[in-house]
Amino acid sequence: MGDGKPKTIARPRRSTRLNNARPEGFGLHAALTTFTPASSLLHSPEKCKMPVLYAFASSLLLAANQLDSDYVTPIEMTEPKNERQARASSEAQEWLTAEEIELKTIYKMGTFKIVDLPPGVVPLPSRFTYKIKQDKNGAIDKLKARLVARGDMQTEDEYSTMFAPTALFTAIRTIISIATQEKMSLKHWDITGAFMTADIDTDIYMDLPPGYHLPPGKTIRLRKSLYGLQQSPGLFHDSLEAWLIGYGFKPINKDGTIFKLVRGQEHIILSLFVDDSLCATNSEALYQSFLSDLQAKYDLSNQGDLNFYLGVAVDHNVSTGITTLSQEQFVETMLQ
């Protein structure tokens, strides 16, 4: 990544013959791990542990001799490293559209205000970053441009907090295990423009990114935190955590990434990975009520039933009590 070359994404073309020719036992390869049992986490988070088999489909059962030459035919698309590369790419119009969508979104959210540049103030530079979003099968989902501030040029007196804690993968697998044992539903949502939902904690002035201009003497004053700022992750997490606790969730770990809501016999277990959340619930009514209230505060992307989370495909069958975790897409990419 440090060579300055654009990242290449391969768009896989799958043969229908190969889709049905998976290795024997694919999806059933099991790894032994330890999970906190459901009763422990739901009622009293003790140190009692139990072994649970979970399906781990990202094994090297997908060996090279299981692949045919027509299994993956790469079509190159590159992620631009800067605005110049985006303008010069064959997808220039698509990247420009993504930039415009991003600017309209953050302006609509009240993230910044155009003001006179105060005397002696040097605004922070900003830029776009570019990302090719893929679905669980490796197909291109959309092209995303994100406006980021050059937080690396901030001085220490401009921020006090820097980090947002993230749930450990062992905790995430524990929640999935609990949902499997207790026949709970697994849900997934994320917050659109998450960092821009938190109020900024100091005056920060910023220039528009290259290619966009303001009238002479004008600049942007941020009203909300923005991606790239040193304090943005921490400000967003503190804001969301405060809302969840005010709603009735109780944090059940020290870093504030796992929460529990109990209403009589109904409950929700929620994990946070910055702006991505996995929820396990035994009550669709309670979950939908919570989701509706959350949507009144944040712009949510409701993913519905969990099927793909943090690069892992999840096949959760409530009726059979079987959950399979797969990283097939990752393994295929490694074997290309």
Side-chain angles (χ1 to χ4, degrees):
M1 297 298 289
D3 57 5
K5 295 181 179 179
K7 178 182 176 182
T8 298
I9 300 293
R11 288 187 282 188
R13 289 175 178 164
R14 302 171 185 274
S15 70
T16 54
R17 176 171 58 83
L18 262 294
N19 281 341
N20 297 321
R22 290 174 173 172
E24 182 179 356
F26 183 87
L28 300 177
H29 177 66
L32 186 65
T33 190
T34 56
F35 289 113
T36 305
S39 58
S40 176
L41 188 53
L42 287 176
H43 307 295
S44 178
E46 304 294 338
K47 294 183 178 180
C48 175
K49 294 185 177 180
M50 61 180 291
V52 175
L53 286 175
Y54 72 97
F56 185 69
S58 60
S59 74
L60 289 181
L61 289 173
L62 277 174
N65 60 4
Q66 298 289 341
L67 301 176
D68 281 347
S69 59
D70 61 343
Y71 188 67
V72 175
T73 304
I75 303 176
E76 290 190 355
M77 178 181 284
T78 58
E79 289 181 348
K81 296 297 182 183
N82 50 49
E83 289 82 357
R84 178 181 55 80
Q85 290 184 3
R87 302 290 183 271
S89 72
S90 58
E91 294 80 29
Q93 185 57 52
E94 286 85 350
W95 289 122
L96 183 60
T97 299
E99 290 177 6
E100 293 173 350
I101 291 173
E102 172 76 351
L103 286 174
K104 288 178 181 178
T105 298
I106 64 176
Y107 182 76
K108 179 181 177 182
M109 296 176 68
T111 305
F112 64 81
K113 182 179 180 179
I114 299 174
V115 299
D116 293 328
L117 177 63
V121 171
V122 179
L124 278 177
S126 67
R127 61 182 295 260
F128 282 109
T129 60
Y130 304 93
K131 183 70 177 177
I132 300 171
K133 296 285 188 177
Q134 297 172 277
D135 63 18
K136 66 178 183 179
N137 297 315
I140 293 177
D141 183 31
K142 65 178 180 179
L143 304 186
K144 168 71 175 175
R146 172 170 285 169
L147 180 65
V148 299
R150 286 289 304 275
D152 58 309
M153 299 181 69
Q154 284 182 271
T155 57
E156 292 185 359
D157 61 338
E158 292 179 321
Y159 56 90
S160 57
T161 182
M162 292 180 61
F163 303 106
T166 56
L168 298 175
F169 277 91
T170 51
I172 293 170
R173 291 197 301 268
T174 298
I175 293 174
I176 293 174
S177 174
I178 290 170
T180 303
Q181 295 175 64
E182 301 288 327
K183 296 189 181 299
M184 300 165 70
S185 298
L186 285 171
K187 305 291 186 179
H188 177 207
W189 52 261
D190 61 72
I191 296 177
T192 303
F195 287 5
M196 295 176 285
T197 64
D199 293 332
I200 199 69
D201 57 349
T202 188
D203 287 337
I204 294 181
Y205 297 89
M206 189 183 80
D207 281 331
L208 287 176
Y212 297 84
H213 304 282
L214 291 171
K218 297 292 185 178
T219 190
I220 284 174
R221 180 171 64 83
L222 295 179
R223 303 171 64 186
K224 301 283 187 178
S225 62
L226 187 69
Y227 291 93
L229 293 178
Q230 299 285 356
Q231 62 265 55
S232 290
L235 291 175
F236 165 70
H237 179 270
D238 292 347
S239 171
L240 179 56
E241 181 181 39
W243 189 92
L244 289 171
I245 292 174
Y247 193 80
F249 280 88
K250 304 294 184 184
I252 57 175
N253 63 346
K254 292 181 179 179
D255 57 8
T257 59
I258 309 294
F259 298 84
K260 175 179 63 176
L261 176 68
V262 178
R263 301 264 174 95
Q265 297 300 312
E266 301 174 334
H267 46 260
I268 299 173
I269 304 173
L270 179 152
S271 74
L272 292 178
F273 200 96
V274 190
D275 57 354
D276 247 327
S277 178
L278 178 154
C279 292
T281 182
N282 68 346
S283 170
E284 185 69 22
L286 176 62
Y287 178 76
Q288 291 301 327
S289 177
F290 156 68
L291 202 66
S292 177
D293 293 334
L294 187 64
Q295 285 176 319
K297 170 68 175 177
Y298 297 101
D299 183 10
L300 289 188
S301 174
N302 180 14
Q303 307 295 324
D305 292 332
L306 180 70
N307 56 62
F308 193 69
Y309 190 65
L310 302 177
V312 179
V314 182
D315 182 8
H316 177 59
N317 191 314
V318 177
S319 60
T320 62
I322 296 175
T323 299
T324 300
L325 307 179
S326 168
Q327 287 185 290
E328 178 182 357
Q329 175 190 332
F330 173 76
V331 173
E332 290 173 359
T333 302
M334 293 296 99
L335 292 175
Q336 287 176 15

